[in-house]
Amino acid sequence: MIILNVGFGMIELAAGFLAASQALKADALDFLGDGSITFIGLLALGWTASTRARVALAQGLFLAALGVSVIGAAIWRMFDMVQPEAGIMGWVGFVALLINLAAVFVLARFRKGGDAQARAIWLFSRNDALANVAVIVAAGLVYWLGSAWPDIIVAAAIAFLFLHSALEIIRHARSDMKTQQIA
């Protein structure tokens, strides 16, 4: 699953550049983040609870940094309006959705309960699937409206999803870290 996430994230990033799509690039970053976070999460399973909480905190901060960078890129794109290639956006978004739905079903048991690390892995996968749906919708709107705005809006929405999840991961990690200090 990790190799698939990272590998397809690279393909999606290249497609984002080929299609001139900020939404595809943002989704690719989410894909790459998910693959690397899942890999780190698997490594962390054997670590102490306090170390896993610190790793989850770092993951939350990483996700926040991705969100801020995507917002910056979307703002830049507003001043350099290029209509993306809707066909590439739609097809790549659809394949990405299929891959992420498989991951979501595998990771659904970590949705509730578990430590901050397990919740972080679940949130990254859920975000990927939601972002894929948004990219597909944006592709349809880019085609229908003949405008770059749906692409920019979806890229910004993906960035805000990053930031929302980052705050949740950070909150859970800090809570786990406090619990470890008490124990």
Side-chain angles (χ1 to χ4, degrees):
M1 188 65 74
I2 294 166
I3 293 170
L4 185 60
N5 276 336
V6 172
F8 193 78
M10 298 298 289
I11 291 169
E12 189 174 31
L13 188 59
F17 281 102
L18 181 65
S21 169
Q22 291 303 114
L24 271 182
K25 292 176 198 172
D27 190 46
L29 289 176
D30 197 19
F31 232 120
L32 291 168
D34 184 39
S36 21
I37 295 306
T38 303
F39 176 70
I40 292 168
L42 289 174
L43 291 176
L45 289 175
W47 299 343
T48 66
S50 61
T51 301
R52 285 194 315 271
R54 286 193 298 277
V55 168
L57 178 62
Q59 291 169 326
L61 294 171
F62 172 72
L63 187 57
L66 284 179
V68 169
S69 69
V70 170
I71 289 170
I75 291 169
W76 173 79
R77 181 59 76 170
M78 288 171 34
F79 296 105
D80 182 30
M81 205 59 96
V82 175
Q83 182 179 333
E85 173 55 50
I88 294 172
M89 284 178 69
W91 278 108
V92 172
F94 180 73
V95 172
L97 177 62
L98 294 178
I99 292 168
N100 280 312
L101 285 176
V104 165
F105 288 123
V106 168
L107 298 170
R109 63 187 166 137
F110 297 111
R111 185 177 68 188
K112 303 261 193 240
D115 63 11
Q117 180 62 40
R119 286 189 299 272
I121 293 170
W122 156 254
L123 284 171
F124 270 83
S125 296
R126 182 205 65 187
N127 289 353
D128 276 346
L130 292 172
N132 299 143
V133 171
V135 168
I136 294 166
V137 169
L141 289 172
V142 163
Y143 178 78
W144 184 49
L145 299 172
S147 170
W149 279 108
D151 181 61
I152 293 168
I153 291 167
V154 166
I158 291 171
F160 284 111
L161 185 61
F162 287 174
L163 294 174
H164 176 271
S165 294
L167 292 174
E168 190 173 332
I169 292 167
I170 290 167
R171 183 175 49 85
H172 284 294
R174 290 176 50 95
S175 174
D176 285 359
M177 291 168 76
K178 286 180 186 175
T179 302
Q180 295 305 314
Q181 290 175 351
I182 296 170

